[in-house]
Amino acid sequence: MRLNNYWLLVAPLLLLVMALYAWPVINILWLSVTEPQAGLQNYEKLFASSSLARILWTTLRVCLLTTFGAVLAGYLVAYMMAHLASGERSWMLTFVLVSFWVSVLVRAFAWLTLLGRNGLLNGALISSGLTDEPITFVRNELGVLIGMIHYMIPYAVLPLLANMQGLDGRVMSASRSLGAGPLVTFRRIYLPLTMPGIFAASILVFVISLGFYVTPAILGGGRVLMAAEYISVQVLVTLQWGTASMLATLMLGGVLALMFTLSRFMKLSEVFGAKA
Amino acid sequence: MPDPASSDGLTLKGLSKRFGSFEAVTDVCLDVRRGEFLTLLGPSGSGKTSLLMMIAGFLDPSDGDIALDGQSIIRLPAEKRNFGMVFQGYALFPHMSVWQNIAYPLEVRKQPRAQIQSRVQEMLDLVQLTEFSDRLPRQLSGGQQQRVALARALSFNPQILLLDEPLGALDKKLRTDVQEQLKDLHRRVGATFIYVTHDQEEALSMSDRVVIMNHGKVVQVGAPNDLYERPETVFAANFLGKSNFLRGSVTAANGQTLSCVVAGADVHHRCNGAAPGVGELVTLALRPEKIDVAPLGDAPLSNGLQGTVSSLTYYGSNFTVTTEVAGFGSVTAEVGAWRNPHRFETGQTVDLSWQEDATVLVSEGTES
Amino acid sequence: MQDKNFFKELLTKSAEDFKAGRMDRRDFLGLCAVAGVATYAVSIGDAQAAADEIVFWNWGGDAVKCHTDSFGSPFSTDSGLGFKVDTSGPLQGKVKEMVDSGNITADVADADAFDAIALGKSGHLEAIDYSVVDKKKVLEGFAWDHGFSAIFYGYGFMYDSEKFGDNPPSTWADFFDTNKFAGKRSLYKWANGAIEGALLADGVAKADLYPCDVDRAISKIQSIKDDSIYWGSGAEASQMIIDGEVTMGMVWINRAKAVEADTKGRFKLVMNEAIAMPGAYIVPKGNPAGRENVMKFLASCQTPERQINMLSCHGMTPANPEAFAMIPDDLKRFAVTSAENIDKVVFNDPAWWAENGGDTLNRYLDAIG
């Protein structure tokens, strides 16, 4: 068989990707079985250390809840946008995109200002007599979830909006004309047809959430320790690079396994918008 | 044919729809008889689709009422009206198989499983798609998708089936076949079909009655041959087939026969109804195929004009002769091609003649 | 302090874009304004260190100006060498990575004493040349093979004088007593100071603090866990107090003066039992300016006047005993080594932290999570 010429064309790019991406990743995998000495002792820690298990569980729990919240809220926003006139929609899209520019740090502190003990919301609740004691919205896991969901909504909106705008509105009218009310039409037609968008949004939000660091650190009041922050501490402060690379490897593996599992149920290229 | 005396069926009373300052449908009154095949025909923007959407329940009328068997249904949402609908582009559920698509309206109505089974099978047989029942819509051809859409819309036995340009996506040859199938289906299921199209041939060949619409208003309602033979307005005469329009003033009225001067020549017309008075300006519509064309002086010209041939267009079964009539303008005639005794050439002067009852008195209409 | 790096990195990245022409000046300045950071705080001098200049690696913020004014500019005037600041924060891991990669871009790092010991042991640092740097100009016990203290900082706590004005808290035992002194507490998230504070509160004598009984410290810390929140950066610590999230909050002492001012004196600093932290200036192995130049610079940082300037500018306490008497009256209260405070505070043992810091931090993080 003749060597396909096209491979020669993409070879430089592949080499570049290998050098800039694959090599460092392989390095990290390598570190996880060689630091501080060769062996699987870093992975054994997973079973030995309840603290690692707890961090991973916190990470998984927070990320899943964030994914659920952000995709749910994003679905509502995208639904509204998809059903607006195009002029209004482009305005809303602008607002969604503008929110990408606001630093994660600024947003976290903005939430503190709004929801803190002496924040605007608690001030309003107390002055209106609804509560006597300020409600603890932030500096706990709830705060982390609020901050993360808020941050992730735009990431959920975009794939969902693309999905919804691609739908033929007549299909929903057809369902109505065939005797299905709005709820049945939503459940049996609209929701299934937006599943690819929901999957894409969920994967995107979940994977990005795994790497969250600043929001949990600030809004969690130091009490919600997630894997990304823990890895950074192990790399930068405690110098336990073996543990850090083991966790990084685990997260990378987890994401790949997730993608693989999903790819068995649906075409990922379709999920991410490339029509097969 | 349905019983025309029956008062039940669908009644539209003074139906209007405004979008801001734009009036899409204006004061439409219409009785749709049970079981008839009624076509809403009009150019794009004529309001025919808006009218259909109001009937279906997808658009709220700004004014007027819609009644079914004497009961107003204007407050009923689309899903409660029990009208089948076939959409432009079919709007099949892409994630459901053919079987599931057809079963959907039955499942929504919570019919028993066994009943759904047999009804879906019946519908699949009706549209001859039994072996495709497990396919997804995207695995079917356009014509097959169209049949699924029909089967789905008919599976719950709707009293009325609404069809919004259902043949628009099909190529010309397939369209003719599907028109036949649709007519056949209509005869077999006995439901009322309300059919929207902008294609006059489709309207003429399939409908029991045609509603011609323009600028949101009903221009004329009637059976296809009525509309063709007796258009009431210039628009109707022009939209349904082609027409020449002879404009002139009435010089004499002799019983039902009028004489008018058109381009200096005397033209006679036999009226069907009330005749206009002497001196009035009238417009006579004259179908091209009703004009005899003959070389000059070949026969005595009792009722006609003289024109100079400006172009000839050949269509196989016939050809059109376009002539220039001095002081009037162009008049087009259609002549059979087979065994026509005459040969015409451009520049030749010819006699154009027709029977007194070939012309139709039409109003100019403000909307034409 | 790490959180702050995010802003800084964003701005540094933007500064590079700006320099490369991918961003125009207005956008860049706008971004800086949004970030609330003056443009001078963003250095893009990384990886451009040269032999004729000292690159000072610190944590950004006010320290950029203070290190430049107090130490950098006078040294440049004396020596003719340039002075630049890299603000990316010399965490141990970063120093290690820099030296290991062979791409050394900093000459001096503003680190902690336990970093000097740990990184010195692992071979990532140049040894201090004590023929140039004067050991006598360092408080005794705070000069090590691979670093020495030019300044001290420390952890104290501040309390709400409106709540506890009549009977103010004065010890860590008071800090940990949420029955007697109701309200929320804030503690440092990276364990330093919090461990010592907890042990003192639990009755460990100052002299017996080290080696720390981590189990004991953690159970004390967990005893007020439901009433505690934790901060990772000085800005956060101040914000928790200023916004009234806590009635007592652990702080970096150098920030206390500003917090007192911001709360109009409502929150007051307790220096009794404050944990004094020896800072350490360390030199990454193979520093670009060369050992001789950097030692000259380090020696210049021992000048008493310059250390006093650093105190006025950034609240960092002098480590040169000659400077102790020169501390201005209004700053004595906030200075770890002033006559009124030096016997009240507890000096952190960097040797213990160098050895046990990593494990202690991980256990602490696990306990507060």
Side-chain angles (χ1 to χ4, degrees):
Chain A
M1 201 177 80
R2 210 165 60 87
L3 181 68
N4 191 332
N5 286 334
Y6 293 111
W7 280 107
L8 291 176
L9 279 176
V10 293
L13 191 68
L14 278 179
L15 284 176
L16 196 70
V17 169
M18 282 294 287
L20 295 180
Y21 188 75
W23 178 244
V25 168
I26 290 167
N27 243 323
I28 286 173
L29 302 187
W30 183 245
L31 270 181
S32 74
V33 290
T34 54
E35 260 293 310
Q37 65 272 114
L40 290 173
Q41 75 282 348
N42 287 319
Y43 291 89
E44 283 162 14
K45 277 187 209 159
L46 263 184
F47 305 98
S49 157
S50 65
S51 108
L52 278 183
R54 215 151 54 97
I55 286 161
L56 288 175
W57 167 235
T58 304
T59 308
L60 189 67
R61 184 180 65 236
V62 169
C63 290
L64 285 175
L65 287 171
T66 297
T67 304
F68 179 78
V71 172
L72 185 68
Y75 198 95
L76 299 178
V77 174
Y79 184 89
M80 186 180 157
M81 285 172 73
H83 292 87
L84 280 177
S86 67
E88 291 161 318
R89 178 165 56 240
S90 54
W91 270 110
M92 273 191 77
L93 195 60
T94 307
F95 285 123
V96 167
L97 293 176
V98 160
S99 70
F100 278 116
W101 300 350
V102 181
S103 136
V104 65
L105 201 62
V106 170
R107 294 205 214 181
F109 278 108
W111 279 118
L112 286 184
T113 310
L114 282 173
L115 303 178
R117 276 180 77 77
N118 294 341
L120 291 177
L121 183 59
N122 269 319
L125 287 176
I126 290 169
S127 66
S128 66
L130 286 172
T131 54
D132 298 329
E133 268 292 290
I135 297 170
T136 320
F137 294 109
V138 288
R139 306 289 192 197
N140 53 19
E141 194 166 309
L142 176 65
V144 175
L145 286 174
I146 291 172
M148 283 180 63
I149 288 171
H150 173 242
Y151 192 84
M152 293 312 307
I153 286 174
Y155 290 89
V157 167
L158 296 181
L160 283 168
L161 182 63
N163 183 198
M164 288 174 183
Q165 283 191 273
L167 296 184
D168 180 355
R170 286 176 298 199
V171 172
M172 269 52 78
S173 297
S175 168
R176 301 285 299 276
S177 80
L178 294 169
L183 283 177
V184 175
T185 298
F186 178 80
R187 186 171 57 78
R188 293 207 48 189
I189 310 294
Y190 200 84
L191 192 60
L193 291 180
T194 49
M195 275 322 264
I198 293 176
F199 268 109
S202 301
I203 293 173
L204 198 63
V205 171
F206 184 77
V207 171
I208 296 176
S209 299
L210 282 177
F212 257 67
Y213 176 154
V214 175
T215 309
I218 295 173
L219 292 173
R223 294 164 63 171
V224 183
L225 186 60
M226 285 174 53
E229 192 180 10
Y230 190 77
I231 289 174
S232 135
V233 170
Q234 303 314 313
V235 170
L236 296 174
V237 184
T238 69
L239 302 195
Q240 297 183 358
W241 288 10
T243 310
S245 52
M246 179 274 289
L247 280 174
T249 306
L250 206 65
M251 284 170 75
L252 181 66
V255 169
L256 291 179
L258 180 75
M259 300 291 251
F260 177 75
T261 315
L262 283 175
S263 72
R264 302 195 57 169
F265 294 107
M266 57 202 318
K267 281 200 188 122
L268 284 183
S269 56
E270 264 175 36
V271 168
F272 289 106
K275 285 263 161 67
Chain B
M1 279 296 287
D3 173 12
S6 158
S7 68
D8 63 9
L10 191 71
T11 312
L12 314 183
K13 292 176 207 153
L15 214 53
S16 297
K17 180 65 190 176
R18 285 177 295 274
F19 296 104
S21 61
F22 173 68
E23 198 139 346
V25 175
T26 307
D27 194 26
V28 169
C29 296
L30 198 62
D31 280 313
V32 186
R33 297 166 202 146
R34 177 164 280 184
E36 79 170 326
F37 194 127
L38 181 85
T39 297
L40 304 178
L41 174 71
S44 60
S46 60
K48 58 191 190 299
T49 298
S50 295
L51 186 59
L52 192 77
M53 290 300 162
M54 285 192 275
I55 297 171
F58 294 124
L59 262 186
D60 286 331
S62 309
D63 272 314
D65 195 14
I66 304 172
L68 183 66
D69 300 339
Q71 296 277 319
S72 172
I73 56 166
I74 205 135
R75 303 240 168 263
L76 281 184
E79 63 268 21
K80 295 271 166 63
R81 293 196 184 181
N82 261 334
F83 298 165
M85 181 145 179
V86 176
F87 289 79
Q88 220 172 350
Y90 320 130
L92 297 177
F93 305 133
H95 59 302
M96 293 184 185
S97 68
V98 167
W99 199 96
Q100 289 168 320
N101 263 281
I102 298 173
Y104 184 81
L106 308 174
E107 288 170 0
V108 165
R109 286 173 175 75
K110 301 201 162 58
Q111 294 192 1
R113 196 96 208 120
Q115 199 176 322
I116 293 176
Q117 282 278 359
S118 67
R119 179 63 181 164
V120 172
Q121 194 52 53
E122 199 180 319
M123 294 317 293
L124 283 169
D125 289 343
L126 184 71
V127 296
Q128 294 158 24
L129 282 172
T130 306
E131 67 264 47
F132 297 99
S133 69
D134 293 331
R135 298 260 185 110
L136 288 175
R138 64 164 173 269
Q139 297 165 317
L140 300 178
S141 71
Q144 290 167 334
Q145 291 185 30
Q146 206 263 349
R147 272 140 65 194
V148 177
L150 273 170
R152 181 179 70 174
L154 289 170
S155 66
F156 58 99
N157 261 325
Q159 187 185 337
I160 296 176
L161 182 67
L162 309 172
L163 303 104
D164 185 13
E165 308 225 15
L167 308 187
L170 304 179
D171 62 52
K172 197 170 168 63
K173 183 79 180 74
L174 190 56
R175 260 162 108 142
T176 324
D177 292 346
V178 177
Q179 282 176 26
E180 280 305 311
Q181 291 166 8
L182 259 180
K183 278 185 76 171
D184 181 50
L185 200 63
H186 175 241
R187 273 192 296 273
R188 279 158 63 186
V189 301
T192 308
F193 279 31
I194 301 179
Y195 188 98
V196 162
T197 186
H198 63 272
D199 184 322
Q200 42 143 325
E201 278 177 37
E202 229 168 80
L204 289 177
S205 68
M206 297 170 75
S207 322
D208 294 326
R209 283 198 305 158
V210 175
V211 179
I212 300 177
M213 294 190 68
N214 194 30
H215 293 302
K217 289 181 179 150
V218 172
V219 176
Q220 195 175 347
V221 183
N225 74 321
D226 270 354
L227 289 180
Y228 190 80
E229 295 300 336
R230 284 178 289 282
E232 289 165 2
T233 63
V234 168
F235 178 81
N238 224 357
F239 194 72
L240 212 60
K242 296 188 193 87
S243 218
N244 296 293
F245 296 102
L246 310 175
R247 293 179 176 88
S249 60
V250 178
T251 50
N254 182 8
Q256 286 301 95
T257 305
L258 292 181
S259 297
C260 337
V261 179
V262 176
D266 253 350
V267 168
H268 305 289
H269 165 73
R270 186 171 301 145
C271 285
N272 258 342
V278 173
E280 274 187 50
L281 289 175
V282 293
T283 304
L284 300 174
L286 178 59
R287 296 287 183 197
E289 71 272 17
K290 294 182 182 173
I291 301 179
D292 289 323
V293 186
L296 201 58
D298 200 39
L301 192 62
S302 66
N303 192 29
L305 297 163
Q306 280 182 357
T308 310
V309 176
S310 62
S311 73
L312 295 159
T313 311
Y314 180 63
Y315 287 106
S317 62
N318 55 29
F319 57 92
T320 60
V321 182
T322 306
T323 62
E324 283 300 316
V325 175
F328 177 71
S330 77
V331 171
T332 302
E334 203 175 288
V335 183
W338 179 243
R339 286 184 181 161
N340 193 306
H342 309 300
R343 300 224 158 266
F344 303 108
E345 285 166 22
T346 52
Q348 185 184 359
T349 306
V350 290
D351 279 330
L352 306 167
S353 63
W354 56 86
Q355 302 290 316
E356 285 178 3
D357 59 358
T359 46
V360 182
L361 188 63
V362 295
S363 71
E364 287 290 339
T366 50
E367 299 288 326
S368 53
Chain C
M1 277 220 152
Q2 298 175 54
D3 304 330
K4 190 159 199 151
N5 287 340
F6 272 82
F7 246 157
K8 207 202 60 52
E9 273 160 23
L10 168 74
L11 287 175
T12 307
K13 173 74 181 52
S14 309
E16 283 162 2
D17 285 351
F18 170 49
K19 215 177 167 194
R22 289 188 294 264
M23 191 184 259
D24 72 20
R25 183 174 172 76
R26 226 166 41 158
D27 289 347
F28 177 56
L29 291 177
L31 193 62
C32 291
V34 167
V37 174
T39 40
Y40 74 77
V42 183
S43 92
I44 46 173
D46 297 7
Q48 291 168 0
D52 60 351
E53 64 184 13
I54 298 292
V55 175
F56 194 97
W57 190 4
N58 71 8
W59 305 85
D62 293 341
V64 177
K65 184 178 177 299
C66 296
H67 279 135
T68 305
D69 291 353
S70 309
F71 297 141
S73 301
F75 174 71
S76 289
T77 311
D78 295 348
S79 67
L81 293 174
F83 182 83
K84 269 192 194 164
V85 178
D86 171 347
T87 60
S88 60
L91 286 163
Q92 263 190 44
K94 290 192 188 173
V95 178
K96 184 179 168 203
E97 198 275 330
M98 181 186 278
V99 174
D100 285 350
S101 73
N103 181 26
I104 297 128
T105 55
D107 295 295
V108 186
D110 176 17
D112 274 301
F114 49 80
D115 298 327
I117 294 171
L119 288 169
K121 204 169 143 195
S122 60
H124 290 88
L125 300 179
E126 295 284 349
I128 302 297
D129 182 352
Y130 283 109
S131 68
V132 182
V133 175
D134 190 348
K135 252 191 189 171
K136 287 202 285 297
K137 291 183 179 171
V138 183
L139 187 65
E140 202 185 332
F142 295 99
W144 306 272
D145 291 349
H146 298 91
F148 70 93
S149 296
I151 54 97
F152 285 99
Y153 67 104
Y155 301 95
F157 67 86
M158 301 186 76
Y159 66 91
D160 185 348
S161 66
E162 274 182 26
K163 289 233 163 70
F164 313 127
D166 303 334
N167 179 22
S170 61
T171 62
W172 284 107
D174 295 338
F175 184 91
F176 277 87
D177 189 343
T178 47
N179 291 324
K180 195 167 156 199
F181 300 95
K184 299 247 180 223
R185 302 291 191 266
S186 59
L187 288 153
Y188 188 42
K189 191 163 127 182
W190 307 121
N192 284 311
I195 296 287
E196 285 90 343
L199 290 173
L200 291 169
D202 209 34
V204 177
K206 280 185 189 176
D208 303 331
L209 214 44
Y210 298 99
C212 293
D213 182 343
V214 178
D215 288 335
R216 185 168 172 182
I218 278 175
S219 69
K220 187 70 181 174
I221 286 160
Q222 281 180 321
S223 73
I224 59 162
K225 186 171 152 182
D226 291 342
D227 288 316
S228 305
I229 53 178
Y230 303 86
W231 51 268
S233 72
E236 248 190 299
S238 306
Q239 179 265 334
M240 285 174 177
I241 291 171
I242 292 164
D243 287 356
E245 289 192 68
V246 294
T247 56
M248 271 191 237
M250 195 170 156
V251 289
W252 270 318
I253 291 165
N254 55 303
R255 286 195 173 251
K257 190 161 178 270
V259 175
E260 277 196 12
D262 284 343
T263 59
K264 299 191 177 67
R266 176 169 167 174
F267 276 84
K268 297 207 185 316
L269 176 68
V270 174
M271 279 299 281
N272 185 37
E273 298 184 343
I275 317 299
M277 296 292 294
Y281 286 177
I282 56 174
V283 180
K285 192 158 206 148
N287 69 300
R291 188 151 182 260
E292 195 181 326
N293 281 337
V294 77
M295 290 305 152
K296 273 196 272 178
F297 170 75
L298 290 179
S300 80
C301 296
Q302 296 187 300
T303 315
E305 289 78 11
R306 296 182 190 176
Q307 292 191 352
I308 294 293
N309 280 344
M310 193 64 197
L311 172 64
S312 308
C313 182
H314 203 219
M316 298 298 182
T317 306
N320 183 349
E322 289 172 36
F324 294 175
M326 298 160 66
I327 295 170
D329 287 344
D330 63 324
L331 297 176
K332 278 180 179 157
R333 203 153 60 81
F334 302 100
V336 174
T337 53
S338 67
E340 63 176 277
N341 286 336
I342 196 162
D343 295 325
K344 289 191 208 159
V345 302
V346 183
F347 283 91
N348 162 284
D349 178 2
W352 185 86
W353 278 98
E355 188 66 31
N356 303 292
D359 290 339
T360 305
L361 174 56
N362 279 341
R363 291 180 59 192
Y364 178 80
L365 287 176
D366 185 38
I368 67 176

